[in-house]
Amino acid sequence: MKQSFEISRIHTPLGIFRVSGEVSDRNDLAISQLEIMGTDGWLFLDIQSKKVVNLIKQLEPHLLAHLQG
């Protein structure tokens, strides 16, 4: 079963993010929207881009810890 989530602000070693998506019972994440805090506010990231896909993989442990905490 999947559950939707929205994290309005999470501080990580990789930056400050706003994230929404779904998480499954087996802790599989499906990110639908990802934004990073830039110098001028929130910037949307293209979740289809290779760099952002790699970023999401690095963010997963931080997001799961936040969602489980």
Side-chain angles (χ1 to χ4, degrees), residues 33-50:
Q33 189 171 313
L34 180 64
E35 298 171 68
I36 189 169
M37 179 60 79
T39 55
D40 294 331
W42 292 108
L43 301 170
F44 282 95
L45 298 177
D46 177 7
I47 59 173
Q48 303 299 320
S49 105
K50 218 174 197 176

Side-chain angles (χ1 to χ4, degrees), residues 13-54:
L14 303 165
I16 302 169
F17 296 91
R18 182 159 50 191
V19 191
S20 57
E22 293 182 332
V23 62
S24 74
D25 292 341
R26 292 185 279 151
N27 289 331
D28 293 324
L29 285 176
I31 304 299
S32 57
Q33 189 171 313
L34 180 64
E35 298 171 68
I36 189 169
M37 179 60 79
T39 55
D40 294 331
W42 292 108
L43 301 170
F44 282 95
L45 298 177
D46 177 7
I47 59 173
Q48 303 299 320
S49 105
K50 218 174 197 176
K51 281 186 177 181
V52 176
V53 169
N54 287 332

